[in-house]
């Protein structure tokens, strides 16, 4: 039984109402009362407050029936904006979205240096730029969420980023010295898992989102909640040892999973076999399309190691849904069938394995969604955007303003 003072109960009612408006897109006061179980007086007071705060707006719906046209309530998506940042080793992706998760501006920046202080200044400069561009809206830039490709503890301190070789950095505090916006720090794989849950897999309460890109990380959702572990480091599956005494990893161990299934490791192994200096995603696409025998052989090995890692994680977590986020896997025909053919253990139980539709944008979109959820203070968030609205690699911009 939930108990508390009047202010606490009002806060709960407010969050329930906001969540239902977001889910429905457009809903009347009468339907809000029916769906939430709150009486009409409570709905009336809460809606009046939300209208005054410009978080929702009214429209009169057209209909052919006799009687008064119903007044519908919707979220004022342009009342404020959130900025999601995917801070990876070779590039920084920025995605500014409205309060329904629709991107209004996105860009990719390639830093010339990996020095920590230089990266802090780069981030601060961009955050301040977006903050200034959002001032025409009622609430402006309400939050910035940064995805880190490394371990982040529950206090939002960075413990270790292997690619940057950063140890024990307080990026949040360092940025707050230069910007006047609420900053949050989260592991990139957690944000990717949150994006998959919010945008694509609403019905899956037990989900594993595994990113196989510059490294390997997993976001874990158990019973509808992000699972972070005791310190916040859960999901670092790339450093699970799958080949004892194997290749040396920058984490200090040997035989880590990401030494065999991250995209850089795949490209390096294939480049050596093909006697090339480098392999790019474009090269990989051509090699697969042309059925290059060396590439196909290397992919068979890649799938073997991938199945070992997946078998281990499936047995640990018994997930409902496993989402694999990897550009190379998207190129390879019938990849899910090939992976599942390797998962022969009777102990490994799951419902489905699927490829991510969000791709490299998952971390940024998850960052946006989590920042929205925290600003609106709703218990759950389910957003729907079309493929056309998933930010592309190129810069795209729309008008940022205060209208609905």
């Amino acid at each position: 039984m939930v108990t508390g003072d009047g202010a606490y109960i009002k806060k709960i009612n407010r969050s329930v109402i906001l969540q239902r408006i977001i889910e429905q897109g457009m809903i009347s006061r009468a339907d809000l009362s029916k769906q939430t179980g709150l009486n009409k007086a409570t709905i009336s007071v809460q809606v009046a407050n939300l209208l005054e705060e410009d978080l929702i707006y009214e429209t009169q719906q057209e209909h052919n029936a006799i009687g008064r046209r119903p007044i519908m309530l919707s979220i004022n998506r342009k009342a404020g904006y959130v900025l999601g940042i995917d801070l990876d080793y070779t590039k920084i992706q920025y995605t500014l979205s409205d309060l329904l998760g629709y991107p209004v501006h996105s860009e990719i920046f390639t830093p010339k240096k990996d020095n920590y202080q230089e990266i802090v200044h780069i981030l601060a400069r961009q955050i301040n730029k977006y903050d200034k561009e959002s001032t025409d809206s009622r609430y402006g830039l309400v939050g910035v969420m940064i995805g880190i490709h490394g371990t982040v503890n529950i206090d939002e301190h960075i413990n270790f980023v292997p690619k940057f070789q950063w140890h024990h950095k307080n990026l949040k505090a360092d940025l707050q010295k230069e910007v006047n916006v609420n900053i949050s720090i989260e592991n990139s794989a957690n944000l990717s898992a949150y994006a998959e849950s919010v945008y694509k897999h609403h019905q899956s309460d037990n989900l594993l989102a595994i990113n196989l890109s510059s490294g390997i990380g997993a976001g874990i959702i158990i019973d509808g909640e992000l699972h972070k572990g005791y310190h916040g480091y859960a999901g670092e599956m790339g450093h699970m040892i799958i080949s004892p005494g194997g290749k040396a990893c920058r984490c200090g161990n040997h035989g880590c999973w990401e030494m065999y299934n991250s995209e850089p490791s795949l490209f390096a192994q294939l480049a050596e076999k093909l006697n090339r200096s480098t392999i790019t995603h474009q090269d990989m696409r051509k090699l697969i399309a042309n059925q290059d025998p060396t590439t196909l052989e290397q992919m068979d090995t890649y799938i073997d190691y991938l199945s070992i890692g997946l078998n281990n994680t499936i047995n640990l977590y018994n997930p409902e849904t496993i989402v694999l986020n990897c550009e190379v896997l998207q190129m390879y025909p019938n990849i899910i069938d090939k992976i599942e053919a390797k998962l022969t253990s009777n102990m490994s139980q799951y419902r489905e394995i699927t490829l991510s539709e969000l791709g490299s944008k998952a971390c940024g979109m998850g960052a946006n969604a989590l920042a929205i959820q925290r600003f609106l203070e709703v218990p759950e968030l389910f957003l729907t955007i079309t493929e056309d609205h998933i930010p592309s690699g190129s810069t795209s911009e729309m008008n940022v303003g205060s209208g609905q």
Side-chain angles (χ1 to χ4, degrees), residues 206 233 337 398 403:
N206 293 276
Y233 303 151
D337 291 339
M398 295 167 58

Side-chain angles (χ1 to χ4, degrees), residues 267-268 270-272 274-280 283 287:
F267 290 169
L270 185 57
E272 182 179 356
L274 293 175
N275 197 26
R276 296 190 184 188
S277 58
T278 60
I279 293 287
T280 66
D283 294 332
L287 289 165

